[in-house]
Amino acid sequence: ETIGNYLPSSSSFFLNLTMLRTLVTFPLRLVQPHPGIRFYIFRRYLRCTKAPLTQRDIAFLYSPSSTRNGHDIGILSGMFLIAFAFAVISPMVTIACLVFFTFSWVFWRYTLMYIYIRKYESGGLMWPFMFRRIMECLVIMSVATAFVFIVKRAYVQAILLLVCAPVIVFRFHNFCYNRYQKGVEALPLSTAKDAPPATVDPRAYIPYPLNKEAFGWHPEWNKVWTGWNLPAGVSG
């Protein structure tokens, strides 16, 4: 009953949060200058430092950054959860989330094409990851709506929703897994037989500092994301 009572009253907070991320965060990230440009302004006009820069320093400062998937994918997953959790309780939040995803599509389409670079290749694993999270959000949506039904003394509707909705979502997830993902988890033997032999440079399996003349070394070679000044091992 506590969750059912506080969910409708908290909808205004999530509505403001969604509009903040839509109308403030995306425009600010689009106009945010590159760290190399900011450092050039500090050196050129503010005279913060007069130390000369080497060619390696210049290349490092002006190199493009990668996407920060540990942070950005978490925000998108959270917006999915907010949109589904309030779909029945407060539809205005879901409409605001729809506007958010519209702005998000424009923002990420532009930045992935012209600003960010890929740090690694996942082989298309992001979509199964996001699909599972969306299915979990649908289950949470049914549970949250059932709690509101309990507060409104609609016990029959709450029981039906708690019993039927998770089962339907689970069966749909199993259908999609067996129909799409299971067929691509392993390469068919006929395709492997006709594929040309793969040639990989042996240096790809050696840490860059151990290569001859440190071939391929970069100041952030051991970091998950590039260009965010994060310590090694941090994936957020």
Side-chain angles (χ1 to χ4, degrees), residues 146-175:
F147 285 154
V148 176
F149 284 161
I150 292 175
V151 172
K152 301 297 183 181
R153 300 296 188 267
Y155 299 110
V156 177
Q157 292 88 335
I159 293 175
L160 289 176
L161 192 60
L162 286 175
V163 172
C164 298
V167 175
I168 294 174
V169 173
F170 179 74
R171 294 193 62 179
F172 178 71
H173 177 269
N174 285 344
F175 167 77

Side-chain angles (χ1 to χ4, degrees), residues 199-212:
T199 56
V200 181
D201 192 341
R203 292 179 295 183
Y205 302 99
I206 303 175
Y208 296 131
L210 299 181
N211 281 329
K212 185 178 181 181

Side-chain angles (χ1 to χ4, degrees), residues 15-55:
L15 178 61
N16 293 329
L17 175 64
T18 304
M19 297 311 298
L20 175 68
R21 289 180 173 175
T22 303
L23 303 178
V24 177
T25 304
F26 285 143
L28 286 179
R29 291 188 66 176
L30 284 174
V31 300
Q32 180 182 6
H34 189 274
I37 298 176
R38 297 198 298 266
F39 188 75
Y40 171 79
I41 294 175
F42 291 152
R43 287 178 54 88
R44 179 67 175 82
Y45 298 103
L46 302 180
R47 302 296 180 180
C48 294
T49 178
K50 296 182 179 180
L53 295 178
T54 64
Q55 292 297 325

Side-chain angles (χ1 to χ4, degrees), residues 66-73 108 116 225 228 230 234-236:
S66 65
T67 55
R68 191 178 170 186
N69 293 336
H71 174 267
D72 298 321
I73 297 300
W108 284 112
Y116 294 132
W225 322 124
W228 295 98
L230 296 174
V234 176
S235 60

Side-chain angles (χ1 to χ4, degrees), residues 185-220:
E185 287 183 346
L187 186 68
L189 291 178
S190 58
T191 305
K193 177 178 177 296
D194 298 332
T199 56
V200 181
D201 192 341
R203 292 179 295 183
Y205 302 99
I206 303 175
Y208 296 131
L210 299 181
N211 281 329
K212 185 178 181 181
E213 298 180 354
F215 176 79
W217 183 86
H218 187 269
E220 297 189 348

